[in-house]
Amino acid sequence: IYKDGTQVTNLPSLRAGDDVVLAVKGNLAPTKAHFRVNGGAYTETTTKNAANEFTLAYTIPDGIVDFVIEGEVFTNGAWR
């Protein structure tokens, strides 16, 4: 997770309304990635950052204090 271009190491510092970037990286030359938060629908992306991670912009909503963030990459014909 990145905020203002910097990787977040102190996750409890994030607050409702913060604009963050989710990131995932894979092996074997993945072509895309997708993310989901708290069991919602997956959102697909092909956007990459300078670290060659697939990224997705996300705004932390009000009223939710616990998160499960899932990220997968698509490589060799399958999500991994």
Side-chain angles (χ1 to χ4, degrees):
I1 298 177
Y2 293 89
K3 181 179 174 191
D4 299 326
T6 301
Q7 188 173 6
V8 176
T9 56
N10 180 17
L11 295 177
S13 70
L14 297 174
R15 299 286 178 250
D18 284 351
D19 292 320
V20 298
V21 175
L22 309 178
V24 66
K25 189 172 186 174
N27 296 324
L28 305 174
T31 57
K32 58 187 173 181
H34 64 192
F35 295 89
R36 73 176 173 180
V37 179
N38 292 344
Y42 277 105
T43 302
E44 196 170 293
T45 182
T46 56
T47 303
K48 288 185 173 183
N49 63 13
N52 204 35
E53 299 166 321
F54 289 97
T55 61
L56 182 70
Y58 182 77
T59 301
I60 298 174
D62 287 328
I64 300 175
V65 296
D66 292 316
F67 289 89
V68 175
I69 300 169
E70 299 171 78
E72 297 179 323
V73 295
F74 190 80
T75 187
N76 290 337
W79 289 105
R80 303 177 192 277

